Amino acid sequence: MVAETMADAKITDNDCFYKIEREGLLSFDMADLSERLGREYTVHDFLVNMTSYYGRIVVNDAGVEIHADILPERFRD
Amino acid sequence: MAPRPKLEVVHAKGKRYDWGFDYARPDPKFPTRYIIPPKGKDPFRIMMRGYAAMETEKDNRVYGGLDSDVRYRNANVAEPRFMEAMKFAVPAFTDAEYQAVTGAGFLVASVKNQEMRQGFAAQMLDEVRHTQLETGLRKYYLKNYHDPAGFDIGQIALGNHPIGTLARASFQPFNTGDPVEVSMCLNVVLETAYTNPLVVALPQVATVNGEHAMPTAFLSIQSDESRHMANGYGTLMCVVQEPDNVPFLQESLERHFWHQHMSMDTLVGVVSEYYAVNRPWAYRDVWEEWVVDDFVGSYMSRLSSFGLRPPDRLGEVARFVEDMHHSVAIALAAIWPLNFWRIDPMGPADYEWFENHYPGWTARYGGLWDAFRAMSDPSSGRVLMQELPALPPFCQVCHVPCVMPRIDAPETRIFDHEGKRYAVCSEGCEWIFKLNPKIYTGCANWWERFDGMDLADVILALGYVRPDGKTLMGQPHLNAERMWTIDDIRRLEYEVKDPLKA
């Protein structure tokens, strides 16, 4: 999915984990992942598999986004 | 069936059921000097419905993995050199988790914001889970590794070890002091800057050395740490918006970044390079990637609009990272009778790797490792610590030996405070000491505790002997034969002397 939807992302195999990096935004859509897997894949399933991150994360039912911009609107209110 | 309500809707609704603090007298354990705005965000929007499901699945995977490791006898397939490091490294992790249990509970009681409290409540449960997982991991090692001596007393042994007290010194600030600075130390510096080298990069070293149980447990742990980083982010973004808080935040960042660097860069650097047969990277490069690029470059440096700077001592940290783990590794080898694990001497392939990755290593450290290897057999009748002109004192702040950054050119500072002599390893630790000396004057220097005792009696007092009552847990080699006994040590007639007493 990463290779198709975020072709400019850099994926590194670190033997027991993959590191995925991209300028600006990494976006993981749960509906897309579910369709590709042929079964429901929730944000909680995703977070069990996501070991770590850096940047600013946004979690909701639809997906997980990791932004390079660390000053979000939701923190400005 | 009606569709399940969206997470963000339930999360927003849940926050409306907040409660005030009028049911109990606000009496925080430690007061805060910060202005804390009554707002704060948890980026993960953690709710118990999702939390319980996630943690159940994670535990199923970790314990299932351990079951598989037992069946495949993985503990004895892994490199023994690496397994020996787990005897001190896992108890050090557990010290951190345990201190963080109380730290997260302290933050729940201190932060008057429902959304942040929910994040810290989940973190407190996580830290309990991590303590249990690591205890389970140690039990697995104890039952399945062919030389379990040291795994059985890991936690108490670490607390008594001359350099093991580094863990207590490093992790006590997780639950002691101003609540905002507790979060700065625990969530922002340790968990955001340093758990990635510690709990993501180090499992890669385990993997390439054939050890699979540690990565299974620790990568699962790190998936919780992700939320803890977000707790720190939420706290920092809340308080940094108040200009009066910024000088306090800067001081807190400086203090904790230097201290955690001293302990974590030492721990990860030593384990990943000196307890590995196969090395996937040089620690300096991993530090550059996770700490400089990711923590400083992608996080701290982007807060400049609030007036917050990256740590001023970043350049000094970079200078220390070149050498400090080499110095501590040989210091640990020199005091090997006081260890509760075994050290495999570095050999020709190791020398070549170090010289290729750290030019000048052979000239600086090769002779010391030659001497260590030459004295590894009890028939030598010598131990490396005898050959040193004097034992190094331990830093009163970070507890690493004062051989920093280079054992041949230490930058030790010795000074008197209220009638007592103290040593610190560096300018950074002296600055931290003088910020609040009361924090650092309460504990005795390790050498002071055993000054004047025969080395054999010190080992017996520490309990670092095997079940036969005479063979040492620590050994300067991995051979099953020719192990050192307490009688071999007694024949040395070596008296421990506090270097600060002279």
Side-chain angles (χ1 to χ4, degrees):
Chain A
M1 188 202 91
V2 172
E4 277 185 29
T5 63
M6 296 175 278
D8 55 337
K10 177 185 167 194
I11 305 174
T12 314
D13 182 350
N14 290 62
D15 298 299
C16 56
F17 65 92
Y18 292 104
K19 187 169 186 180
I20 305 172
E21 297 171 283
R22 187 183 184 216
E23 293 290 327
L25 174 69
L26 283 168
S27 180
F28 301 93
D29 179 76
M30 294 306 122
D32 185 9
L33 279 169
S34 297
E35 191 173 328
R36 288 168 187 269
L37 288 167
R39 61 180 169 86
E40 185 186 19
Y41 192 77
T42 69
V43 74
H44 296 123
D45 297 322
F46 182 88
L47 293 177
V48 167
N49 289 296
M50 186 191 80
T51 295
S52 190
Y53 75 99
Y54 64 90
R56 174 174 59 86
I57 195 164
V58 175
V59 176
N60 57 43
D61 262 347
V64 172
E65 292 179 344
I66 300 170
H67 298 257
D69 170 17
I70 66 162
L71 298 175
E73 287 304 317
R74 201 168 87 90
F75 280 78
R76 289 180 177 142
D77 61 21
Chain B
M1 194 171 73
R4 185 171 159 151
K6 283 183 177 295
L7 172 63
E8 46 272 42
V9 173
V10 177
H11 187 257
K13 189 176 179 183
K15 283 193 291 184
R16 296 209 300 268
Y17 294 103
D18 197 4
W19 62 90
F21 269 60
D22 54 350
Y23 61 92
R25 189 165 59 92
D27 189 14
K29 188 176 172 187
F30 298 100
T32 184
R33 60 180 174 170
Y34 292 77
I35 300 163
I36 307 179
K39 57 184 179 182
K41 305 291 182 189
D42 166 22
F44 277 81
R45 293 188 169 99
I46 194 72
M47 300 289 292
M48 284 302 152
R49 67 175 194 181
Y51 177 78
M54 286 192 293
E55 303 311 300
T56 301
E57 173 62 15
K58 289 180 190 179
D59 275 2
N60 287 342
R61 292 185 184 192
V62 174
Y63 290 110
L66 285 181
D67 183 59
S68 168
D69 287 326
V70 171
R71 291 171 196 277
Y72 288 105
R73 299 173 189 166
N74 183 254
N76 291 309
V77 173
E79 292 290 348
R81 180 187 279 185
F82 187 82
M83 293 296 286
E84 290 297 322
M86 295 297 98
K87 291 179 179 176
F88 63 88
V90 180
F93 292 134
T94 310
D95 199 319
E97 312 291 5
Y98 190 78
Q99 301 279 8
V101 174
T102 46
F106 171 51
L107 289 166
V108 171
S110 303
V111 177
K112 294 174 182 174
N113 173 282
Q114 171 74 331
E115 186 166 344
M116 295 297 298
R117 270 206 306 266
Q118 186 75 352
F120 287 125
Q123 174 165 0
M124 193 174 80
L125 295 172
D126 290 336
E127 307 293 6
V128 174
R129 172 178 178 261
H130 301 172
T131 305
Q132 292 172 331
L133 279 179
E134 289 163 16
T135 305
L137 182 64
R138 281 151 56 181
K139 186 180 176 189
Y140 157 80
Y141 291 145
L142 180 63
K143 290 181 73 173
N144 295 284
Y145 181 54
H146 70 273
D147 186 3
F151 279 127
D152 50 343
I153 60 163
Q155 209 66 48
I156 193 167
L158 183 83
N160 283 322
H161 185 266
I163 305 178
T165 55
L166 144 164
R168 194 184 310 147
S170 190
F171 307 138
Q172 188 75 60
F174 289 0
N175 55 41
T176 310
D178 189 307
V180 173
E181 294 181 16
V182 162
S183 182
M184 282 295 287
C185 177
L186 171 60
N187 300 134
V188 176
V189 176
L190 189 277
E191 291 179 320
T192 309
Y194 274 103
T195 57
N196 281 327
L198 188 66
V199 193
V200 179
L202 196 55
Q204 184 184 7
V205 180
T207 304
V208 299
N209 284 278
E211 210 306 83
H212 301 307
M214 185 267 200
T216 301
F218 278 83
L219 293 174
S220 179
I221 287 170
Q222 185 67 9
S223 67
D224 293 337
E225 302 291 349
S226 294
R227 281 184 283 99
H228 308 172
M229 296 176 193
N231 287 340
Y233 173 75
T235 305
L236 182 56
M237 295 306 293
C238 174
V239 295
V240 77
Q241 300 184 44
E242 194 66 51
D244 289 349
N245 288 334
V246 173
F248 300 145
L249 285 170
Q250 190 70 47
E251 180 187 282
S252 180
L253 178 65
E254 301 291 347
R255 173 188 163 199
H256 295 301
F257 187 72
W258 182 263
H259 190 163
Q260 296 305 319
H261 138 70
M262 291 307 297
S263 46
M264 294 302 103
D265 287 329
T266 298
L267 180 63
V268 187
V270 166
V271 173
S272 62
E273 294 188 354
Y274 286 88
Y275 291 82
V277 173
N278 305 304
R279 303 176 181 90
W281 31 255
Y283 180 64
R284 180 224 300 111
D285 298 334
V286 159
W287 177 82
E288 188 86 27
E289 176 185 352
W290 292 102
V291 179
V292 179
D293 294 350
D294 299 349
F295 175 69
V296 177
S298 300
Y299 189 4
M300 287 299 125
S301 65
R302 298 187 185 201
L303 296 173
S304 58
S305 59
F306 295 104
L308 198 63
R309 306 183 304 277
D312 289 341
R313 288 183 179 78
L314 182 62
E316 273 295 273
V317 173
R319 183 170 72 87
F320 272 54
V321 165
E322 284 287 327
D323 269 289
M324 58 192 283
H325 58 298
H326 306 307
S327 298
V328 174
I330 192 63
L332 280 169
I335 63 162
W336 71 261
L338 295 169
N339 296 340
F340 53 99
W341 66 91
R342 306 173 70 153
I343 294 180
D344 190 17
M346 296 297 104
D350 304 304
Y351 281 37
E352 186 181 350
W353 186 91
F354 280 114
E355 189 59 39
N356 286 340
H357 289 82
Y358 298 94
W361 181 93
T362 309
R364 199 168 290 163
Y365 304 101
L368 290 165
W369 281 105
D370 286 345
F372 174 76
R373 192 171 54 251
M375 293 180 232
S376 65
D377 191 289
S379 63
S380 71
R382 305 292 292 167
V383 292
L384 186 53
M385 64 194 287
Q386 286 177 292
E387 310 301 319
L388 302 177
L391 293 170
F394 294 105
C395 177
Q396 195 67 21
V397 172
C398 70
H399 291 217
V400 299
C402 290
V403 293
M404 297 294 196
R406 281 170 38 186
I407 197 164
D408 60 336
E411 298 177 12
T412 310
R413 289 156 182 245
I414 295 173
F415 54 86
D416 292 331
H417 175 79
E418 295 183 349
K420 191 168 176 190
R421 182 147 292 187
Y422 295 100
V424 290
C425 66
S426 57
E427 178 277 332
C429 280
E430 183 178 14
W431 175 75
I432 292 172
F433 182 98
K434 290 180 175 171
L435 270 182
N436 191 343
K438 279 187 179 172
I439 295 175
Y440 304 103
T441 50
C443 66
N445 186 290
W446 198 91
W447 296 124
E448 188 184 339
R449 290 172 59 197
F450 299 103
D451 182 52
M453 286 175 66
D454 187 275
L455 180 60
D457 293 323
V458 176
I459 296 167
L460 290 171
L462 294 170
Y464 293 176
V465 288
R466 291 164 187 256
D468 65 5
K470 62 175 188 177
T471 307
L472 270 56
M473 285 183 170
Q475 297 287 333
H477 57 72
L478 297 179
N479 304 328
E481 307 297 324
R482 307 184 71 79
M483 293 216 274
W484 287 68
T485 66
I486 205 76
D487 297 334
D488 295 321
I489 298 295
R490 202 170 290 287
R491 275 194 286 276
L492 302 175
E493 297 183 348
Y494 183 86
E495 182 187 324
V496 169
K497 289 182 180 166
D498 176 6
L500 290 182
K501 198 176 171 186

